[in-house]
Amino acid sequence: MSSLDNEEYYPRIDGKFFRVGREKFFPKGLVYGPFASGTEGECFKGVEETREDLQQVRRAGANLLRVYHTPPRWFMDMAEELGVMLLIDVPWHKDVCFLDSPERRAAAIDAVKKAAEACLGVESVFALSVVNEIPPDIVRWSGPGKVAEFIDELISAVKKIDARRLCTFGNFPPTEYLSPSQVDFHCFNVYLHEREDYRRYISKLQIIAGNKPLVLGELGMDSLREGEIEQAHFLEWQIEDAFCKGAAGVVVFSFTDEWYKGGREVDDWKFGITTRSRDRKPAFFRVRTQFEKAPYFPLAHAPAVSVIIACYNGAATLRPCLESLIQLRYPKYEVILVDDGSTDKTVEIAGEFPEFKLIRHSENLGLSVARDSGIAVASGEIVAFMDADCRADEDWLYYLARSFEDDEFHAMGGPNLPPADDSVMAAVVNASPGGPAHVMLDDRYAEHVPGCNMAFRKSVLSAIGGFDPVFTKAGDDVDICWRLRKIGADIGFSPAALVWHHRRSGVVGYLTQQYGYGQAEALLVKKHPEKFNFMGGGLWRGRIYSHARPVFPACSRHIYHGRFGAGMFQSIYSANWMPSVSVFTTLEYHFLLTLPLALISLVFNFIAPMAIVSFGASIGACVVSAYNADIPKDKRRFWSKSIVGLMWLLQPLVRGVARYRRRLASPRTPLAEHENLVSLSLKKERVRFDQIRYWDEAGIGRLAFLAEIISGLEQENWEFRNDQGWNRYDVEIIGSRWCRLRLLTVAEVYEGGRMMIKCRLKPFMSFASKIVLTGVMVTALLLLQFGTYPVVWGGVTGAVLVFLLWIFHKSKRDLGRVVSVFLDRVAEKLELKKV
């Protein structure tokens, strides 16, 4: 039956997985052939032998065959008849420098076109692989960028003939850095014999695959060298670990030991689960058992999960959200819906789902309070959170629970993808900056996971007191992740535990959301100042995985090829000096550079070109970011990237204005409120406060002293940041807008076990004070050089400068004095004796 007019039976991508019709399809495959060429030059067996083989393939539990030549039509029809799908690799001469020759390029394109035409409308064809394992030295010779572009060109050739046909290419560790953009899913051939290495590498491949499905296109073991029993055991855990790590499918190499390559029979390798005569090895039965279980291997312990949804006026998306939770494939879970004072039809919709718990707030108390209300009644060992504008994949909880069980994490996140039915404008918003993104420290550990898809052990939430109610609209997820990391808790990421998350469908809604994020950032700066730089930008240690791409592509990575390009694992490494064009779009950049240059140019015309260049850098940054925007083809319009560029210009301004407005509305505690009678009595004395020493005769220790200092700072509402392991100070205390102080401690050990703790206090001017001084000095120089009355203006600005320097010096001295008295109080509490 032809499926040209029956799209339902075409395999299609669904997030990190595949679907055929309405059901998920997990490829469980075997490699088949190639065999010695027959009379017609085909690398396949005869009709009767093939039928017997395919029947045995089905008995092994496989639903897919990977073949390395385009099969004849009778083979495809037989596969369809027996319920076997085909992953077809298109052969062409890829072991030469094919990009150096127009004829070879044309031959490769012609080969994939013929394969696409041969498979047109055939239901049994799962996907076409346009090339398999390009030699790494060939890629290095031609350049990975050009090779990736050519792979995209091959895929485009297939799509022009059959737009619905899934396409990939067979990659392997020596070229893992190849990243063509047009592949529908990632296919990797992986041969690793150590289980931990294998598990870690799958985690790495999931990061490489991103939001696309990952299929292990070849895995196996040679029974000739390792033995048939060891081969069976090996394939057992390889299949299980692949599916448990979220792979969408696996293909075992191979069905039989019979195998031809390069015009000869390969007789010194035995990778088959059957012999050449088709006798079944132990691996056959082990593979069948695992394929029958896959992908849902039983959990040794399936923890009860409480799913909490905080909803405020979310009626527009709530029904499909709750419907998706009914469909979850997980044995122990409850759903708790917290209505946070909604005025729409939220309660009415909730009434349609009596099996779910409903908590109602009489007024809108904010996101954190709503989530804490859900935690209070949750009975699950794991507490998972999802937003009301999300839909859960039916296996969401299975993969979350699996990741908790396998890796002993305290918290877990997963991807949030825009649903296929989102609007064209939502696709534009998805490619714009500021969307929900996870931040990865490496392939397994996360620094942050978005609140629309996160889960925690309930015990760890109780240990840190739940969510902070100060975060009413956003920022709660960032705050709780940072607090967890402060107590040493590990946050993981499960690539297969996905939810579908609707993006804003209009410019106004998007910018309103970003304004709220800016307000949340102001609260985060106050609570976690060590996580932000002097300009208010977040200091992430990990890599942010976002659809927005603000980085110059040519500068975004280095590739380790190994000596002479022969490394078995040739990996991608991000460059530490990687320039981000987003700096040119920040509010601080406009306020500190573009705006002053523009104002000065009104008086001094020669400054105008500099102002134009400064603003041009911002526009250029928006153009680069829009050019790199990842927008699906079916959602792309001629104006899409122009809107993305506009979002890159407006979003940092809107978010920055909200951040500073909130920060200015919440002024820091005045330094005078930290003064006491002792510090006031020292105000007029000529005492230095730059170094203080204490005898520690009770063995308290420097770290305990620092812990008490931090506790005291928190109790007295000081704004401060402490060392996160990257600084040359222990604590930085923010005294006012104009000055700060850095405290560094050291412990000296003397005879008899006596210890002296030395404290160095280093007050310094804040970034704001340096900006003010710089502005005054620049103004003074310009007035002296070009002003009408240079002497008068020079005297005025000089007096202003002296006054400011006195103010800043006084602020630094006052801060040092107050902090020194504070340290004396801490030392007295710990019975340390001041020297």
Side-chain angles (χ1 to χ4, degrees), residues 209-516:
N211 292 333
K212 295 181 179 180
L214 171 67
V215 172
L216 298 190
E218 289 181 14
L219 56 87
M221 175 178 273
D222 174 26
S223 64
L224 179 64
R225 291 165 177 79
E226 306 293 340
E228 293 185 356
I229 300 299
E230 183 61 26
Q231 179 198 33
H233 173 68
F234 173 84
L235 289 176
E236 179 180 38
W237 61 257
Q238 286 248 316
I239 294 170
E240 179 172 349
D241 286 352
F243 281 110
C244 291
K245 284 288 185 180
V250 300
V251 181
V252 173
F253 189 93
S254 63
F255 168 67
T256 175
D257 288 339
E258 184 182 0
W259 177 35
Y260 279 74
K261 185 176 181 180
R264 70 175 187 87
E265 183 177 2
V266 180
D267 54 9
D268 56 344
W269 296 91
K270 293 185 178 180
F271 277 82
I273 61 172
T274 66
T275 65
R276 283 179 170 78
S277 59
R278 306 309 192 259
D279 293 327
R280 301 174 183 178
K281 299 181 187 178
F284 179 96
F285 302 99
R286 205 68 62 88
V287 166
R288 180 173 66 186
T289 299
Q290 296 303 81
F291 278 172
E292 287 173 352
K293 294 179 182 177
Y296 307 110
F297 290 89
L299 293 160
H301 167 61
V305 180
S306 297
V307 179
I308 298 175
I309 301 170
C311 181
Y312 175 64
N313 289 342
T317 56
L318 183 60
R319 184 176 285 106
C321 170
L322 298 180
E323 287 174 346
S324 73
L325 295 175
I326 291 177
Q327 306 299 323
L328 293 177
R329 293 172 178 156
Y330 192 74
K332 305 177 189 175
Y333 74 97
E334 64 176 354
V335 177
I336 302 168
L337 174 63
V338 183
D339 169 37
D340 191 27
S342 299
T343 57
D344 61 1
K345 295 184 178 181
T346 292
V347 176
E348 294 177 30
I349 295 172
E352 300 174 16
F353 301 87
E355 61 268 62
F356 298 160
K357 294 181 183 178
L358 175 63
I359 300 174
R360 297 188 63 186
H361 291 169
S362 59
E363 58 181 323
N364 181 230
L365 301 176
L367 181 58
S368 291
V369 174
R371 285 180 165 165
D372 282 338
S373 296
I375 296 171
V377 300
S379 61
E381 178 184 338
I382 304 295
V383 180
F385 296 92
M386 192 177 75
D387 289 348
D389 58 353
C390 294
R391 287 188 293 107
D393 178 83
E394 55 259 54
D395 298 317
W396 174 49
L397 290 187
Y398 170 79
Y399 285 110
L400 279 179
R402 169 65 67 184
S403 297
F404 271 111
E405 179 187 79
D406 291 351
D407 297 302
E408 294 298 321
F409 286 107
H410 301 90
M412 188 67 58
N416 66 99
L417 309 181
D421 58 357
D422 250 1
S423 67
V424 171
M425 184 55 72
V428 170
V429 168
N430 187 54
S432 300
H438 51 283
V439 183
M440 300 298 296
L441 294 166
D442 58 22
D443 299 329
R444 296 173 60 239
Y445 291 88
E447 184 177 4
H448 165 255
V449 291
C452 57
N453 185 4
M454 60 183 183
F456 306 87
R457 296 188 187 277
K458 189 178 181 182
S459 57
V460 80
L461 285 178
S462 300
I464 62 173
F467 291 86
D468 188 338
V470 72
F471 299 98
T472 58
K473 295 180 180 179
D476 58 308
D477 51 353
V478 178
D479 171 63
I480 205 158
C481 287
W482 282 346
R483 286 160 58 204
L484 284 174
R485 288 190 50 76
K486 280 183 179 180
I487 66 170
D490 291 327
I491 305 171
F493 187 77
S494 180
L498 65 93
V499 300
W500 303 99
H501 187 199
H502 289 282
R503 273 39 172 183
R504 296 297 187 270
S505 57
V507 173
V508 174
Y510 164 71
L511 293 178
T512 301
Q513 179 192 51
Q514 295 304 310
Y515 189 87

Side-chain angles (χ1 to χ4, degrees), residues 640-704:
S640 296
K641 292 198 173 183
S642 299
I643 301 297
V644 172
L646 179 64
M647 295 300 100
W648 271 102
L649 183 65
L650 296 179
Q651 184 265 356
L653 300 179
V654 169
R655 197 157 172 168
V657 166
R659 182 171 65 246
Y660 282 105
R661 184 178 179 184
R662 185 64 178 261
R663 291 180 69 184
L664 292 172
S666 305
R668 296 189 177 97
T669 304
L671 183 60
E673 291 192 15
H674 296 293
E675 292 182 320
N676 55 32
L677 293 175
V678 176
S679 63
L680 286 171
S681 68
L682 298 173
K683 197 164 189 175
K684 295 182 179 180
E685 294 187 18
R686 295 183 177 276
V687 181
R688 296 185 63 181
F689 305 107
D690 57 343
Q691 190 171 122
I692 307 173
R693 295 172 293 170
Y694 302 100
W695 280 115
D696 176 13
E697 298 179 348
I700 300 297
R702 185 178 71 91
L703 295 181

Side-chain angles (χ1 to χ4, degrees), residues 719-736:
E719 190 172 343
F720 69 95
R721 65 180 73 190
N722 51 33
D723 176 36
Q724 298 295 300
W726 303 84
N727 308 110
R728 294 190 63 184
Y729 60 82
D730 295 321
V731 182
E732 182 178 295
I733 299 172
I734 302 169
S736 69

Side-chain angles (χ1 to χ4, degrees), residues 532-544:
F532 294 85
N533 60 27
F534 60 87
M535 293 178 66
L539 295 174
W540 296 103
R541 299 299 177 193
R543 179 180 173 187
I544 302 173

Side-chain angles (χ1 to χ4, degrees), residues 635-834:
K635 300 290 178 66
R636 198 178 300 164
R637 301 294 185 269
F638 71 92
W639 45 263
S640 296
K641 292 198 173 183
S642 299
I643 301 297
V644 172
L646 179 64
M647 295 300 100
W648 271 102
L649 183 65
L650 296 179
Q651 184 265 356
L653 300 179
V654 169
R655 197 157 172 168
V657 166
R659 182 171 65 246
Y660 282 105
R661 184 178 179 184
R662 185 64 178 261
R663 291 180 69 184
L664 292 172
S666 305
R668 296 189 177 97
T669 304
L671 183 60
E673 291 192 15
H674 296 293
E675 292 182 320
N676 55 32
L677 293 175
V678 176
S679 63
L680 286 171
S681 68
L682 298 173
K683 197 164 189 175
K684 295 182 179 180
E685 294 187 18
R686 295 183 177 276
V687 181
R688 296 185 63 181
F689 305 107
D690 57 343
Q691 190 171 122
I692 307 173
R693 295 172 293 170
Y694 302 100
W695 280 115
D696 176 13
E697 298 179 348
I700 300 297
R702 185 178 71 91
L703 295 181
F705 180 51
L706 282 171
E708 191 64 34
I709 289 172
I710 291 171
S711 176
L713 291 172
E714 290 174 343
Q715 290 175 11
E716 296 192 13
N717 294 318
W718 281 95
E719 190 172 343
F720 69 95
R721 65 180 73 190
N722 51 33
D723 176 36
Q724 298 295 300
W726 303 84
N727 308 110
R728 294 190 63 184
Y729 60 82
D730 295 321
V731 182
E732 182 178 295
I733 299 172
I734 302 169
S736 69
R737 299 197 186 280
W738 311 119
C739 66
R740 300 185 176 192
L741 181 144
R742 286 178 178 170
L743 170 66
L744 178 65
T745 62
V746 66
E748 296 179 341
V749 180
Y750 293 87
E751 292 182 4
R754 298 182 72 199
M755 183 182 297
M756 180 183 287
I757 299 176
K758 299 171 70 174
C759 304
R760 180 184 294 162
L761 283 64
K762 187 177 181 181
F764 62 99
M765 291 189 298
S766 68
F767 180 71
S769 62
K770 292 175 183 177
I771 288 296
V772 170
L773 287 176
T774 303
V776 171
M777 287 188 289
V778 170
T779 303
L781 290 172
L782 290 172
L783 290 172
L784 286 170
Q785 183 70 27
F786 303 102
T788 308
Y789 303 102
V791 176
V792 175
W793 286 116
V796 171
T797 53
V800 171
L801 187 62
V802 171
F803 175 73
L804 289 174
L805 287 172
W806 178 78
I807 289 292
F808 296 156
H809 174 74
K810 181 179 180 298
S811 297
K812 291 196 300 180
R813 179 174 170 78
D814 288 347
L815 179 58
R817 170 177 50 81
V818 173
V819 171
S820 68
V821 173
F822 167 77
L823 292 178
D824 287 347
R825 294 206 317 269
V826 172
E828 184 180 357
K829 182 178 180 180
L830 296 176
E831 298 183 353
L832 303 179
K833 296 179 180 179
K834 188 174 183 179

